[in-house]
Amino acid sequence: MEKRFLINNGSPEHSQFQDLQSGALFIRWGRKTCPDNTTDLVYSGYAGSSDCTKTGGPADFLCLVPDPDMVPDVGSGQYIKGVEYDHGIAGSKVGQDVPCAVCRSRSEETSLMLPGKSSCYPGWKIQYRGYLASGNEAFKSSANYICLDEHSEQSRVGDSLMGDGKLLYTVRIA
């Protein structure tokens, strides 16, 4: 079975389909690019999730495409909003939107976050280093854990598009 991935070099007009061998997909949270190793950028976008002030929404963080197809409002349902840094974590500015990059490894078949580890087990390879991050227990919504790049960037999408969604905090050991 032939696999086809959309490879994006940073702008939609330069995107191209390219035949690629299998490889692990992973999201690099806090960066617009993939690590300078054996990876390809599938696309870069912005972190999105449910509203941190509401209950019952999804806990997942999503790496949203930068050019979504807008669909008509068909009634009630969940809203997806942007994720913003809080407390200036990982060199970011409070209130800035969290970028993300979907990356494909050309050399690895599996990708796994190892929470609480700054090194890999023998035979494994580091794609990027970061901080364990999530929402805050003071808010109503749940949030999954992600690995936020230790050299994270910030970006301003604009509240008219993304809105105020989850706030991202580093995780502390109790």
Side-chain angles (χ1 to χ4, degrees):
M1 177 185 204
E2 183 178 288
K3 295 183 180 181
R4 298 182 71 78
F5 291 89
L6 179 66
I7 301 301
N8 186 332
N9 67 358
S11 63
E13 61 271 11
H14 292 104
S15 297
Q16 59 183 347
F17 278 99
Q18 201 172 39
D19 292 327
L20 301 173
Q21 300 299 315
S22 61
L25 292 174
F26 64 94
I27 300 173
R28 188 179 189 193
W29 298 104
R31 297 288 294 193
K32 300 173 194 170
T33 59
C34 294
D36 291 330
N37 51 22
T38 58
T39 59
D40 293 315
L41 178 67
V42 178
Y43 71 87
S44 62
Y46 303 94
S49 193
S50 59
D51 189 323
C52 68
T53 64
K54 308 282 189 216
T55 58
D60 299 44
F61 289 97
L62 301 174
C63 187
L64 303 172
V65 295
D67 57 344
D69 296 332
M70 297 306 210
V71 295
D73 187 355
V74 291
S76 63
Q78 284 292 327
Y79 287 99
I80 192 162
K81 296 188 173 193
V83 176
E84 297 178 351
Y85 295 110
D86 203 20
H87 294 292
I89 59 176
S92 63
K93 294 183 179 176
V94 173
Q96 292 291 301
D97 298 311
V98 178
C100 54
V102 176
C103 305
R104 184 195 69 88
S105 172
R106 293 188 302 266
S107 61
E108 308 303 324
E109 295 293 323
T110 304
S111 176
L112 177 69
M113 176 178 67
L114 297 173
K117 295 286 289 175
S118 60
S119 61
C120 284
Y121 293 113
W124 292 38
K125 179 182 174 186
I126 291 177
Q127 293 294 345
Y128 73 95
R129 295 179 194 277
Y131 303 102
L132 195 60
S134 187
N136 188 296
E137 63 186 22
F139 293 105
K140 293 180 180 180
S141 68
S142 295
N144 286 339
Y145 295 106
I146 62 172
C147 180
L148 180 66
D149 195 283
E150 67 184 355
H151 301 292
S152 64
E153 303 168 316
Q154 60 267 340
S155 195
R156 192 49 142 174
V157 176
D159 289 339
S160 62
L161 173 65
M162 300 295 282
D164 293 324
K166 280 197 177 22
L167 299 174
L168 198 58
Y169 297 82
T170 53
V171 174
R172 296 179 294 171
I173 297 172

